[in-house]
Structure formats: structure tokens, C-alpha cells
Amino acid sequence: MYDHLTLLSGRAHPQLAGEIAEYLGVRLASVELSNFPDGEISLKLNQNVRGRDVFILQPTSPPVNDNLMELLILMDACRRASAERITAVIPYFGYARQDRKDSGRVPITSKLVANLINEAGADRVLAMDLHAAQIQGFFDTPVDHLYAAPILDRYFRSLNIPDKDLVVVSPDEGSIKRTLQHNNNIGGTLAIVDKRRKNALETQQANIIGGPIDGKVALLFDDMISTAGSIVGAVNVVKEQGAREIYVSASHAVFCGPAIKLLSEAPIKEIVVTNSLPIPDQDKLSNLRTISIAPLLGEAIRRIHRNESVSHLFD
């Protein structure tokens, strides 16, 4: 079935790669990865990839620079070993926040990283929940952009929360489109937290638009939880408005800086995330639930390898 498919992984998330390999019924390719004393990455492929359809799994998660460089080196090695096609499977795409020039003398890092991935040898890219959809256009190769929403929504529907008790909340104005999709799939009413940015590191949540919130079960969705300042600020506003229970969900659990402290102290019943990037043991909160995206990525890989449509996976 997969005579010409090769799946290999960097060191960013070997557990997810193993789950995808199990879903596909293939073995992960053997790769030797280590570091020279000065920190440079050393790599050797231990099997032939000539003429193969190669899929390289590597989220560019923290430490983002190390994992990004490792991805580039993996692709370069496969290209020089005469792989027929190379697909970069990037469940979490770092450097995505700076996707436009919103002031003078700033870079567009997401375009820069897309250029690096193209130059290193990627023939196509498989990503999930990019920070901004337009990043797909930064690549000069085809991009299959998957969404975790159907998986997350399926979990929340399984909780059987009565529609009359449910409110789906956007943590800020920029997440309204995403929240509307969740609202359509799950039900309930819609509310928006009015967020004002004080500076590059701080935001202030002010009011609730829509609702009502009082006495309801609130679901808050975001694409990622990084420092958790914004999402916890939104949670506190929703709690002040009288929410009975609060669930928080995100595709990417980056969890850096004060995130764990803020989340552990917030009035959140459950935090639901995917395993798009690894979560260290010290960051696994008692109310954290992780849902695997291995079947989603595995099915996409299977369809790409067979040159079949993956469009139904976008829904």
C-alpha cells in the first residue's frame, strides 16, 4: 500500500510521529540526529530515500530556532539523497505572528521562514491551524491546511451540554471567525470579549459583546495558548459576568513564560488542546486534556501519497 512512502521525524515531536506511523501501519525511517560540541546539528539518514515520497514531521515549536534548523537540514539531506517528493509536515508553524508589516522597520518572519522551507527542498507543506490563513500564500509550493476544529468540537459535543446553557466565547475580535465556526458546529449562543492591547506584552479585557453569560457554560477557543495572558484575561471577564463553568480550548499548547502559573490559578474547569507540539511533564496541569491529531495528519498523509483529495479533512 505504501511501497514508496517514507515517514521520518526530527527531534521536535517523536511521539506524534510514532502515532502517525502506527495509524499508517509503517515504520519510521531511521535517522541519526545529534549535535556537534558547538551546537551545530549533525544528521545522517540510515536508509535509502531515492525515488521515495518522503514526509518529514517537525513542528517548529520551542526551541523554535533549533527545531526550524533541524527541519531545514532534514529536507536538505532528503533532497541530496534524491527523494522524489518531500512534504514538510508542520503541525505547529512558528514565526507566524509577524505575517505583515503593521509598522515601519519590522520583518515579515512568516514569509522569511516559508522561503527557507521552500529553498531547503520542500515540494509541498502540510500544516494545521496557521496563525493567519494568508500564510499559505507565502509558500511557492502547494499547502494543505488542516483544522483541528472538527476534532475539538466532537469532544465538546460529547459532553452533552444543553444548548440553552451553552455560550461560545471569542477571546478577542480577531478570533470571531474561528469562534463562529465552533458556534455553528456545537450550538449555543455567541459572545465576544472586547480586548484592548496596552503594549506588546499586555492586553486588557474590557467588555462582553453578545451573550448572555450569566449562569451559562462558556467555551473559549483560540488558535494557540502562548503566555496565556490574553486567554486568562478573557476567562476572568467571563467569570465576572457570571459564567457557571468555563472551558478553554486551543489547537496549539505553546505554554511559555507565565502560562502554567496563570492557567493553574484561573477559574477554568478544563483546558482542551491537541498534541500538535509536545507538552513537558511539568506543564501538564491537572485539568489539561490532550486530544491526538495523529489520525487527522495520518489520513492527510495517506491521501497526499495516493494523490487523492484531502479537502473533506478541512471541514
Side-chain angles (χ1 to χ4, degrees):
M1 187 184 299
Y2 305 113
D3 287 344
H4 294 89
L5 186 151
T6 295
L7 176 65
L8 56 87
S9 171
R11 291 175 289 183
H13 203 346
Q15 181 180 352
L16 177 58
E19 290 181 25
I20 294 171
E22 184 177 353
Y23 177 88
L24 292 170
V26 301
R27 290 185 178 180
L28 278 172
S30 175
V31 182
E32 289 182 26
L33 278 162
S34 60
N35 290 83
F36 291 108
D38 61 358
E40 292 179 5
I41 295 167
S42 171
L43 180 151
K44 182 180 180 182
L45 303 176
N46 286 331
Q47 65 186 69
N48 181 25
V49 296
R50 183 181 296 272
R52 308 281 293 184
D53 190 11
V54 177
F55 293 81
I56 303 173
L57 182 108
Q58 180 85 334
T60 53
S61 50
V64 59
N65 295 332
D66 292 345
N67 288 331
L68 173 60
M69 194 66 201
E70 192 168 280
L71 171 63
L72 300 177
I73 293 172
L74 281 163
M75 288 190 293
D76 183 72
C78 291
R79 178 172 60 89
R80 295 178 186 277
S82 302
E84 181 179 344
R85 182 172 68 174
I86 300 170
T87 300
V89 183
I90 312 173
Y92 170 74
F93 181 75
Y95 279 113
R97 292 180 185 87
Q98 295 185 86
D99 58 4
R100 64 195 183 281
K101 287 194 68 172
D102 52 5
S103 64
R105 300 177 296 281
V106 297
I108 304 178
T109 54
S110 50
K111 172 59 177 169
L112 171 63
V113 171
N115 287 345
L116 290 170
I117 291 170
N118 286 148
E119 285 297 318
D123 295 298
R124 63 187 309 124
V125 171
L126 175 60
M128 189 187 80
D129 282 316
L130 293 167
H131 188 62
Q134 67 263 23
I135 292 173
Q136 296 173 74
F138 294 172
F139 291 90
D140 296 326
T141 51
V143 176
D144 290 303
H145 186 205
L146 304 179
Y147 298 92
I151 300 172
L152 298 172
D153 292 346
R154 191 179 308 126
Y155 170 73
F156 285 110
R157 286 197 300 269
S158 74
L159 299 179
N160 296 316
I161 302 169
D163 199 62
K164 62 182 178 62
D165 293 339
L166 184 63
V167 57
V168 181
V169 183
S170 175
D172 53 51
E173 292 87 342
S175 301
I176 292 174
K177 184 176 180 181
R178 180 186 306 107
T179 304
L180 274 170
Q181 293 173 337
H182 288 291
N183 183 222
N184 290 335
N185 292 333
I186 301 172
T189 56
L190 178 70
I192 302 162
V193 177
D194 178 25
K195 182 178 79 172
R196 308 295 170 88
R197 181 164 291 280
K198 296 169 67 176
N199 54 50
L201 299 176
E202 295 182 86
T203 58
Q204 181 175 359
Q205 288 70 23
N207 305 302
I208 293 284
I209 302 169
I213 300 289
D214 190 35
K216 302 275 189 175
V217 177
L219 311 182
L220 282 75
F221 291 94
D222 213 341
D223 64 326
M224 72 173 74
I225 300 176
S226 183
T227 61
S230 293
I231 196 72
V232 168
V235 164
N236 291 333
V237 171
V238 170
K239 188 64 176 179
E240 289 168 6
Q241 293 292 322
R244 185 172 83 239
E245 292 179 343
I246 301 173
Y247 292 81
V248 165
S249 182
S251 301
H252 308 299
V254 182
F255 291 173
C256 58
I260 298 303
K261 181 177 185 296
L262 291 174
L263 290 169
S264 64
E265 295 173 352
I268 302 171
K269 180 169 183 178
E270 194 169 47
I271 303 163
V272 183
V273 298
T274 77
N275 62 340
S276 63
L277 38 76
I279 302 173
D281 289 339
Q282 66 268 22
D283 292 346
K284 290 181 179 177
L285 298 158
S286 60
N287 60 343
L288 180 69
R289 177 180 292 271
T290 305
I291 299 177
S292 179
I293 57 169
L296 177 67
L297 292 176
E299 183 62 20
I301 289 170
R302 185 185 72 82
R303 288 175 168 268
I304 292 169
H305 175 64
R306 291 180 167 186
N307 295 313
E308 297 175 355
S309 172
V310 297
S311 60
H312 87 283
L313 297 176
F314 299 167
D315 299 328

